[in-house]
Structure formats: structure tokens, C-alpha cells
Amino acid sequence: MLAAMPPTSPNPRNGGETHIRERVRDRADACPGALRLHRADDGGLARLRLPTGVVTARQVAALADAADRLGDGRIGVTSRGNLDLRGLPDDCGLALAELLGGAGLLPSAAHERVRNMVVSPLAGIDGRGFGDAQAWARELDALLCARAWTTGLSGRFLFAVDDGRGDVAPLGGDVTLLAEPEGRALVRIGGLAWRVGAGDAPVAALAAAEAFLAVAREAGTGAWRVAELPPGTTLEGAVTERLAAAGVEAVRVDAGPGMADAAPGRAGALPVAARADAGGLPEAAAPPEPGLVGDRAVSVVAPLGRVTSEQFRALAAGPADEVRVTPWRGFVVTGLPGRAAAEERLAALDAAGYLTRPGSPWLAVSACTGRPGCGKALADVRADARPLDDAALRGLPVHWSGCDRRCGHPQGDWVDVLATGDGTYDITVRTARRDNDDAQAQAQAQR
Ligand code: SF4
């Protein structure tokens, strides 16, 4: 939330240019976590971060049990690929921590809310991409959990770890790793990019995050995310300094086009020009299509991003199955023994209620929590949500919101279906550019 506060002193390190700095956050980060529950109208909400997106069959079972024993029997998937448990009683904290900890889902209690990553979900499965994004994410997660200072990051600070196909790079990460051919990688932060060796990528991402924290503290405006830093900050110098201190050989490169502008939605990718010699996206990739992925994996989508515990259990029917949660409210199940098993699993998941085929208009539809779970909601948007008939809007993701916070809305261009409170909805096409303009106008209006 943007809030008007008295301006602080001009920054003396910006070459004499005067910038008025106002606080952009006036309260502590209250993002829910697995151990810090948010009190919603339908009970406690716990949010579990999955840095690599991967859950084993044992962990799938533990989460489904937690939803049954402690929550409302359902599991939500967020637009960052996190998992939500809702309807939790006030006194469930210890039992939930034991359940999640026992399943290996809480490696560090102190860091559980800062392990925010989106990772290319098909990395290593379909033969695309240039780097092992899963290995990068595991290493970056270990680095995050091994350092005390990282707990200073907000629960919204996001790392995007892209294997080079350009699927999660446009999702608005504060720090983005993008694999390149020939063992190279880009690390991007705040419109700046550096090229590093692939082996240094996780350390480089951590160095960039550390630079952000230092710059944010110096600015004193309470920024949680890179986009909230005030103009005139010294991010470039801070990143360069920390990369060098970490022993990373890095070359500063042109950052290329803004990734948020290029975000592909579920309903269709926006083409981005190849920029082989710079730090832009090579090509924007659409989310995994539902269906078979090769012979040993399947991709499915949870309608409106929420499943029952039984549906969740159905994902991992074998002990060797691995489930990857996607930032498009879907799941990729890997580790299947062959094509027949993959076809069988896809049929079972179709029968369980997942979206399993490309072309369903429901793939483009998402919704916030709405009534009765959210006290701000003006409507039960999940009951109302449906694909739109308007042919002119076809091809764009459609997001239904119960109020103007528009929680969980897509990136890039999308259709905004907003409850008005009188039983109707306003429908507007929003673009990344318009969203940026609106945010700036809101900040101006509050000065
Ligand atoms: S968009 Fe509004 S109604 Fe929907 S979950 Fe967010 S705060 Fe609640």
C-alpha cells in the first residue's frame, strides 16, 4: 500500500540532482507464511513457499493431511506457485509446524517467508532451456537460508529463475536469473543486467539481493521491492560492488526490453524480439500447456487455483512421483515410468477435475479469494467467475477480483473483472504500461 509520509532529506550521492524521497511502506511486512498465519474471515491462512516448486509424493500426502486435519480440506495455488491452507484454527500453529517440518518443508523457520522463487517448471524435462534452473534454485535457497541478513528481505521480494526459455523471467521478479547458451547467465535487477558464468548465478542473485537491501536501507523509504526504490538510488554501484566482493566475474550489459511488458499470459504469449548480445529476453514462452510432456510427465491446471485434498493427493499416486507447482496455478507431475503411465495419470487427473487439455477457456480464468474468505470482498467472485464470451477479449487472461486490490492478477495485458458491490462487475482491459502509469499516478496523488 502506498502511503503519504513527510519527505526525507535529498540524497547527497546522486550527483547534485535533488529527489524527494517519501516512504512507500509505513508498516512492517505482514505477508502470511507457514508459521505466521494471516487471519482471514474464514479462519487462519498459512502460505507455504516452495523455492524450487517441487514437492515429493510424501510431501504431497503431508500437505493433504494438513488441509484435512487442520484446515478446510482444500489447498490453494498462488500466482507465485506457493501453496495456501485456509480455515485454520488459531491454536494450530504447533501442529502445522510439526507436520510441515516433519515432511521437510520448513528447512529454516527464520527464513520461511523469504524463500520466494518462481522457477521454470519444465526445466530439465522437455529438452528446452540452457541451464539447470532447478539446481540454481536449490543452491540459491541454501544460500538464502544460510545467512541471517536475508531475513531482512520482505515476504514479497521475488527471485525468478529461468532456464532460458523466457517463461518465468517476465513474472516480475525483483532479481531474475536467465540462463544463456555456452554456460552463461544473466542476472537482472531493477532494469540493470550483468552477464556471469552459469556456476556463479546463484551467488550473483544473492549479491544483487544484498545490494537491494543496502540501497533500500540507505534510502529509508521502507521499500519492500526493487520497483519501490526511489529515483536516484545507487543500485548499479551497489550490485557491482557486491558481485566483486562475492568473487563473481560479471560484465554489465544492456538490460533489453522491460520484462513486465513482455509477460506471456496463459491465454497467449506476446512475442519479444531476440536480443542475443544484450540482456533482454531471448523469446517469451507461454506457460506449460496441459497434457502430456514427453513420455514421462504430465501438465495439469487447477481450476481457479484451488483443489480439494483428494484432488491434491491424486497428483502423486506413486512413491517416486515428483510434483512441480507452477506460477500459473498448475502442476507438472514427473518421474512417471513411461508413456502408458503418463496417459493413465492424465486420464485420472482429468476425472479428478483438473484441466488436462489445451484450449479450455477456463485456462484463461483466475479469481481472487473473494467472499466469504476475504472481508474486503464485494462479491463471491469464485462462484461468479467464468470465461467471458466477448470475442474481442479472447486470448487475454481474465482475472475476477472482489475489490480494487486485485490480488493475484496476471502480469502483462489482462482483462480486469472487478466487483462493483451492486451485483455487477466492471470489465476493463489492462496493460502493463497502464498498470505502471496507474501506480505512478497513485503515488503522485498521495504526495
Ligand atoms: S482482491 Fe480484494 S476481495 Fe479479492 S482477495 Fe484481495 S483484498 Fe480480498
Side-chain angles (χ1 to χ4, degrees):
M1 184 180 71
L2 293 165
M5 294 288 282
T8 58
S9 304
N11 179 6
R13 294 176 58 185
N14 61 10
E17 195 181 345
T18 299
H19 295 289
I20 303 301
R21 294 186 168 178
E22 300 175 0
R23 287 194 67 80
V24 290
R25 301 281 182 183
D26 63 350
R27 60 180 168 82
D29 169 18
C31 292
L35 301 177
R36 187 165 83 184
L37 273 51
H38 166 71
R39 176 126 302 284
D41 278 19
D42 57 351
L45 161 67
R47 177 158 299 157
L48 178 68
R49 270 75 172 175
L50 298 170
T52 60
V54 171
V55 272
T56 64
R58 188 171 75 91
Q59 290 168 336
V60 166
L63 283 160
D65 289 349
D68 282 341
R69 282 174 45 195
L70 305 172
D72 64 2
R74 291 178 294 171
I75 293 167
V77 193
T78 75
S79 58
R80 290 179 162 200
N82 299 323
L83 297 179
D84 282 353
L85 299 174
R86 304 188 68 99
L88 299 163
D90 287 340
D91 60 354
C92 79
L94 189 58
L96 182 61
E98 282 177 1
L99 246 165
L100 299 178
L105 290 164
L106 289 177
S108 169
H111 295 82
E112 62 104 354
R113 292 186 323 115
V114 301
R115 303 167 69 216
N116 283 302
M117 285 183 221
V118 286
V119 185
S120 299
L122 295 182
I125 295 178
D126 63 352
R128 292 186 63 192
F130 304 116
D132 189 345
Q134 284 288 325
W136 281 355
R138 283 194 298 274
E139 186 179 341
L140 178 55
D141 184 35
L143 291 169
L144 277 170
C145 290
R147 282 155 178 78
W149 66 260
T150 54
T151 60
L153 294 169
S154 87
R156 297 192 189 181
F157 191 90
L158 180 67
F159 294 92
V161 184
D162 193 307
D163 71 353
R165 73 184 66 213
D167 59 350
V168 298
L171 295 185
D174 293 281
V175 174
T176 298
L177 288 180
L178 185 68
E180 292 188 312
E182 300 170 4
R184 301 182 307 182
L186 290 172
V187 55
R188 294 182 50 131
I189 178 169
L192 306 167
W194 286 259
R195 180 165 285 128
V196 302
D200 286 335
V203 173
L206 193 76
E210 188 178 18
F212 160 75
L213 260 192
V215 168
R217 284 187 175 136
E218 184 185 324
T221 58
W224 292 353
R225 304 204 60 191
V226 172
E228 297 170 357
L229 288 173
T233 51
T234 54
L235 190 58
E236 179 169 2
V239 175
T240 301
E241 208 173 278
R242 276 159 184 82
L243 287 171
V248 174
E249 276 186 39
V251 178
R252 179 81 170 82
V253 292
D254 176 5
M259 287 189 178
D261 291 346
R266 155 81 54 201
L270 302 175
V272 176
R275 294 174 58 92
D277 59 344
L281 283 170
E283 183 184 334
E289 288 278 20
L292 295 177
V293 185
D295 286 339
R296 296 173 187 274
V298 300
S299 167
V300 297
V301 173
L304 299 183
R306 197 172 293 179
V307 294
T308 65
S309 57
E310 276 315 298
Q311 287 177 306
F312 197 64
R313 284 190 187 91
L315 290 167
D321 294 354
E322 177 186 284
V323 177
R324 297 186 183 182
V325 184
T326 83
W328 301 279
R329 299 180 172 94
F331 303 97
V332 175
V333 183
T334 70
L336 302 172
R339 187 166 188 96
E343 285 173 347
E344 198 178 312
R345 182 66 55 82
L346 197 62
L349 293 176
D350 187 75
Y354 287 97
L355 305 173
T356 61
R357 298 182 192 91
S360 166
W362 282 95
L363 290 168
V365 184
S366 58
C368 76
T369 297
R371 282 184 189 155
C374 178
K376 294 188 172 64
L378 300 175
D380 183 353
V381 289
R382 301 183 67 79
D384 294 340
R386 61 185 182 279
L388 299 180
D389 292 332
D390 190 336
L393 302 178
R394 224 160 272 155
L396 288 176
V398 178
H399 186 70
W400 293 64
S401 301
C403 80
D404 61 8
R405 290 183 69 174
R406 302 176 171 85
C407 297
H409 73 73
Q411 301 282 319
D413 297 353
W414 55 286
V415 181
D416 178 26
V417 186
L418 180 66
T420 60
D422 63 3
T424 64
Y425 288 83
D426 284 339
I427 299 177
T428 321
V429 175
R430 298 187 70 96
T431 62
R433 187 177 301 277
R434 177 184 161 178
D435 285 347
N436 288 339
D437 290 348
D438 284 356
Q440 283 174 9
Q442 188 181 8
Q444 289 286 349
Q446 290 178 335
R447 283 180 184 154

